Amino acid sequence: QGCVQKYIVKNYFYYYLFKFSAALGEEIFYITFLPFIYWNIDHSVSRRMIIIWSIVMYIGQVSKDILKWPRPLSPPVVKLEMRTDAEYGMPSTHAMAATAISFSFLIATMNQYKYPFELGLVVAFVFSTLVCLSRLYTGMHTVLDVIGGALISAVLLVLLYPVWDTIDHLLLTSPFCPLLSIVVPLVLCYNYPKLDYYSPTRGDTTTILGAGAGATVGFWLNNQYAMPAYTSENFHLGFPLITSKMLVVVLARFFVGIFIVLLTRRLMKSVVLSMLGYRYKFPIGDLEARRRLEVEVPYKFITYSSVGFSATVLVPLLHGLLGLM
């Protein structure tokens, strides 16, 4: 235990394909793709995807620590990842996230944009399949873990779809939305299932719920006090192809936005961790202290709620100032 298995890569195509596919279910993808949709495609699509993503991921993470099914034994499998090895296996949250994101995007756009439904269905299926297969290739999940994750996500999509519009309307108009968007996720994070040893699932869950909370508050503020920054008239999925001018604007929005989002994450991590270190008397580099409940939850929740708020409020304001609307 604690030793990294040595392995020889015999097929570099599969190796890089599935390593890349695995990254499509991690923070680097969420922090780029979901804001991109908000900045460049459609607010309503982005809102629905973030709602689904937050709910699906919370249920998936909690289910792991309730079921406590172990990951595949190594050997015989070779594990190409180590960070999440301390987590339990069932269900695969990579499979859940990939299924939720790809198919919620398809469902949210198929009636608003002109593109072949068959093409959208194929893209969603290929995306989710690649991520699912990557979890088998990297040795992190069994076939049952992956199938279970995809099926749970599919069932949640079916159950949530009829109330999408109702939830979206309440999040935009209810005066209680900002309070509930912060309090409910915090309560869920502080009451996360306890384990006999440390696992990154609680921290990851707090990250997801924090980002969703910050984004939800941003959605509400934009609806109450600002005009929608981008509508379906700004960007069209399908044909005709994107013009060069539109492509420049899209890329400018994206790179400006990502810079602000990453800067926010970096600054808030430093500030919040310093404040908690002062409060609980531990050095910032003390990893064990950062894993304690009273440190990990506020540290990750405040940091990523700031990221979500920045992506939905500060970045669109900056886009406006720079003439990128």
Side-chain angles (χ1 to χ4, degrees):
Q1 189 174 4
C3 297
V4 179
Q5 281 185 284
K6 293 182 179 180
Y7 55 87
I8 298 174
V9 178
K10 295 183 178 180
N11 189 315
Y12 281 94
F13 174 76
Y14 287 143
Y15 178 78
Y16 288 112
L17 173 65
F18 291 125
K19 289 286 282 187
F20 173 77
S21 300
L24 298 178
E26 297 173 357
E27 181 183 350
I28 186 64
F29 175 73
Y30 304 142
I31 210 169
T32 53
F33 180 73
L34 294 177
F36 179 88
I37 300 299
Y38 188 76
W39 300 329
N40 289 304
I41 297 183
D42 195 307
H43 281 187
S44 64
V45 172
S46 177
R47 288 196 305 268
R48 285 160 172 76
M49 291 180 69
I50 290 174
I51 291 168
I52 292 295
W53 172 67
S54 300
I55 294 173
V56 164
M57 289 299 288
Y58 174 75
I59 291 175
Q61 296 286 77
V62 169
S63 297
K64 280 186 179 184
D65 290 337
I66 291 176
L67 293 175
K68 298 183 178 180
W69 286 21
R71 289 188 182 271
L73 293 177
S74 177
V77 304
V78 176
K79 296 186 177 179
L80 305 186
E81 299 177 14
M82 295 308 299
R83 179 189 175 275
T84 57
D85 191 37
E87 296 180 6
Y88 289 107
M90 170 63 95
S92 166
T93 46
H94 272 71
M96 292 184 70
T99 304
I101 287 177
S102 58
F103 284 95
S104 64
F105 181 79
L106 173 66
I107 294 168
T109 59
M110 64 183 184
N111 294 323
Q112 297 189 45
Y113 297 92
K114 294 181 180 179
Y115 65 90
F117 173 76
E118 294 78 8
L119 175 62
L121 184 61
V122 168
V123 171
F125 180 78
V126 170
F127 178 92
S128 57
T129 299
L130 282 175
V131 175
C132 290
L133 290 177
S134 75
R135 308 315 288 158
L136 303 179
Y137 183 87
T138 55
M140 301 310 297
H141 285 286
T142 65
V143 173
L144 186 59
D145 294 343
V146 170
I147 293 176
L151 287 178
I152 292 171
S153 192
V155 169
L156 290 173
L157 276 172
V158 171
L159 294 176
L160 291 170
Y161 177 70
V163 294
W164 263 15
D165 292 337
T166 302
I167 295 174
D168 188 52
H169 178 72
L170 289 174
L171 291 178
L172 292 178
T173 60
S174 172
F176 302 106
C177 172
L179 178 63
L180 293 177
S181 296
I182 299 298
V183 172
V184 172
L186 269 177
V187 170
L188 293 175
C189 292
Y190 275 108
N191 290 276
Y192 193 82
K194 292 181 174 60
L195 297 177
D196 296 331
Y197 61 91
Y198 178 79
S199 166
T201 48
R202 184 182 65 200
D204 291 345
T205 304
T206 305
T207 294
I208 293 164
L209 294 184
T216 302
V217 173
F219 297 151
W220 185 86
L221 283 174
N222 287 337
N223 187 68
Q224 297 296 319
Y225 301 107
M227 293 296 290
Y230 316 109
T231 66
S232 57
E233 297 178 358
N234 295 103
F235 189 89
H236 297 276
L237 294 178
F239 305 99
L241 295 176
I242 302 173
T243 64
S244 58
K245 181 180 178 180
M246 185 181 296
L247 181 60
V248 170
V249 173
V250 166
L251 291 176
R253 287 176 180 174
F254 176 72
F255 286 114
V256 168
I258 287 300
F259 174 77
I260 298 301
V261 165
L262 294 179
L263 180 63
T264 301
R265 184 179 67 165
R266 180 70 177 270
L267 290 176
M268 292 306 298
K269 276 187 174 182
S270 178
V271 170
V272 175
L273 200 54
S274 296
M275 293 175 63
L276 290 170
Y278 177 79
R279 168 67 177 82
Y280 292 107
K281 310 300 181 186
F282 67 87
I284 294 178
D286 188 344
L287 183 59
E288 288 302 317
R290 289 164 60 173
R291 291 175 170 179
R292 286 155 41 189
L293 174 68
E294 64 272 20
V295 175
E296 184 176 59
V297 170
Y299 162 50
K300 289 186 176 291
F301 191 87
I302 295 173
T303 296
Y304 284 92
S305 61
S306 300
V307 168
F309 184 83
S310 174
T312 53
V313 177
L314 300 183
V315 171
L317 288 175
L318 183 58
H319 285 168
L321 293 174
L322 295 175
L324 297 175
M325 300 286 279

